[in-house]
Amino acid sequence: MLEVVNLSVKFEDFHLQNINLHIRKGDYFVLVGHSGSGKSILLETIAGLISPDSGSILMNKTDITNSKTGSRKIGLMFQDNSLFPHLSVKRNIEFALRLKSKDKNLNRQKINTLAGNFNIGHLLNRDTETLSGGEIQRVLLARTLASGPEILMLDEPLSSIDSVFKDEIKTLLRSLNRNGLTIIHVTHDFEEALALASNIAVLNDGKLLATGSPEEIFNKPANEFIARFCGHKNYLKADFSVDGFAVVNKNLRIEISLSKPETDQGAILIDASEIILSNEHFSSSARNAFKGKILDISKTKSGVEVRVDIGIPLIALITSNSSDSLKLKIGQEIWCTFKASSVQIVQ
């Protein structure tokens, strides 16, 4: 449906370089990356607000690279998009409709349809200042879709609303996509991308690092940046030996046992929740056991993260009960134990 081919854009002192994307009809395509990675510039270039220096944009096999913004059948909702404060909810939606049609009866029917679809019928006569964050997002989506775009593009749509409303808007966006709407969504939050995306593209410093399904990006990160961005705590570059070890520190010769031998250079992932901490070494079937010193302890929504120096930094995720029973403190010596099967070779 939408193809971006060798697209490069110089915008002020930033350079978006040789971007290639293929977005199919009905995709929920999420562009992820840190702030300043080029996500919004790419979105605005696709929408026609920024002219590229080279490359092309095709929609339904038609070149729209130099087409006017209004003719692209794309609806763009900005991160800081706001409703017109001097207009009611109804008039805000009607404003977008009037840009396409002067037929008052037709526009009235569309407003009622949109109001029903977005559950904002009871808000039509309200002043926009009285709306909650979730209600504002619903009205903004209705106004953006009033012109009937084939693609909805969203720039950080969840970043400015309270967490209580985020699930509500995620449910709405998934529903729109299931009903056939193609969505391109920009976010810096990988968990948000996982919750919504059918496909993900990772951008950093103006470069496209990887594209694929959420499972592919998360389970097989192409490099350390993507691994860290996805939330993997233990991404370790390694040399593999034929006898089934990953050597992660050549000087100290730290060898991590693998479930299968590997002969190439690459990297491994160790799930932080698979690492067992203990004050004493204990006998088990786990083939990896390392004694180290606790560097840091931090509470998270998933439990307690413990950073341990075993010659390399290793992070374990344990429960609060386990943390309390071990009486953990910084500087304490601790054993880290994990199975060879919990070590994943990623490249």
Side-chain angles (χ1 to χ4, degrees), residues 7 84 94 116 124 154 156 200 225 228 272 325 345:
L7 194 74
F84 303 122
E94 190 176 44
L124 288 177
L154 306 170
E156 298 277 7
I200 290 175
F225 174 85
R228 302 292 183 197
S325 65
I345 299 168

Side-chain angles (χ1 to χ4, degrees), residues 45-102:
T45 304
I46 293 171
L49 300 177
I50 297 174
S51 298
D53 292 280
S54 61
S56 56
I57 304 166
L58 291 88
M59 188 168 176
N60 298 324
K61 299 183 179 180
T62 299
D63 192 328
I64 62 168
T65 311
N66 299 309
S67 299
K68 293 181 179 179
T69 301
S71 66
R72 296 194 181 205
K73 297 183 179 179
I74 290 172
L76 175 58
M77 195 170 105
F78 291 103
Q79 177 182 354
D80 57 353
N81 221 354
S82 59
L83 296 169
F84 303 122
H86 60 290
L87 299 179
S88 66
V89 168
K90 180 180 178 181
R91 296 298 184 192
N92 264 272
I93 300 171
E94 190 176 44
F95 179 86
L97 286 169
R98 284 179 176 176
L99 296 176
K100 293 288 182 179
S101 171
K102 303 298 183 184

Side-chain angles (χ1 to χ4, degrees), residues 51-223:
S51 298
D53 292 280
S54 61
S56 56
I57 304 166
L58 291 88
M59 188 168 176
N60 298 324
K61 299 183 179 180
T62 299
D63 192 328
I64 62 168
T65 311
N66 299 309
S67 299
K68 293 181 179 179
T69 301
S71 66
R72 296 194 181 205
K73 297 183 179 179
I74 290 172
L76 175 58
M77 195 170 105
F78 291 103
Q79 177 182 354
D80 57 353
N81 221 354
S82 59
L83 296 169
F84 303 122
H86 60 290
L87 299 179
S88 66
V89 168
K90 180 180 178 181
R91 296 298 184 192
N92 264 272
I93 300 171
E94 190 176 44
F95 179 86
L97 286 169
R98 284 179 176 176
L99 296 176
K100 293 288 182 179
S101 171
K102 303 298 183 184
D103 188 326
K104 291 184 179 180
N105 289 330
L106 181 60
N107 288 346
R108 189 180 302 112
Q109 291 174 11
K110 287 184 177 180
I111 289 171
N112 291 333
T113 299
L114 287 164
N117 291 342
F118 289 94
N119 193 26
I120 56 173
H122 60 296
L123 303 175
L124 288 177
N125 294 318
R126 290 263 296 271
D127 292 334
T128 57
E129 289 92 344
T130 67
L131 303 180
S132 68
E135 289 168 343
I136 288 171
Q137 293 301 98
R138 284 177 174 272
V139 176
L140 282 170
L141 283 166
R143 190 178 71 181
T144 305
L145 293 176
S147 60
E150 293 186 26
I151 299 176
L152 172 64
M153 300 205 302
L154 306 170
D155 189 0
E156 298 277 7
L158 304 178
S159 65
S160 61
I161 61 173
D162 295 337
S163 57
V164 69
F165 299 118
K166 286 187 178 180
D167 287 342
E168 172 190 334
I169 300 304
K170 285 179 187 176
T171 299
L172 176 58
L173 292 174
R174 278 191 290 262
S175 176
L176 289 170
N177 179 244
R178 280 195 297 268
N179 288 329
L181 181 64
T182 304
I183 298 176
I184 304 175
H185 179 134
V186 158
T187 182
H188 63 275
D189 186 336
F190 191 77
E191 288 189 11
E192 186 177 307
L194 283 177
L196 293 167
S198 58
N199 284 288
I200 290 175
V202 183
L203 287 172
N204 185 49
D205 195 25
K207 296 172 185 166
L208 181 63
L209 300 186
T211 58
S213 69
E215 294 76 20
E216 289 168 339
I217 298 294
F218 184 80
N219 294 326
K220 293 288 184 181
N223 54 44

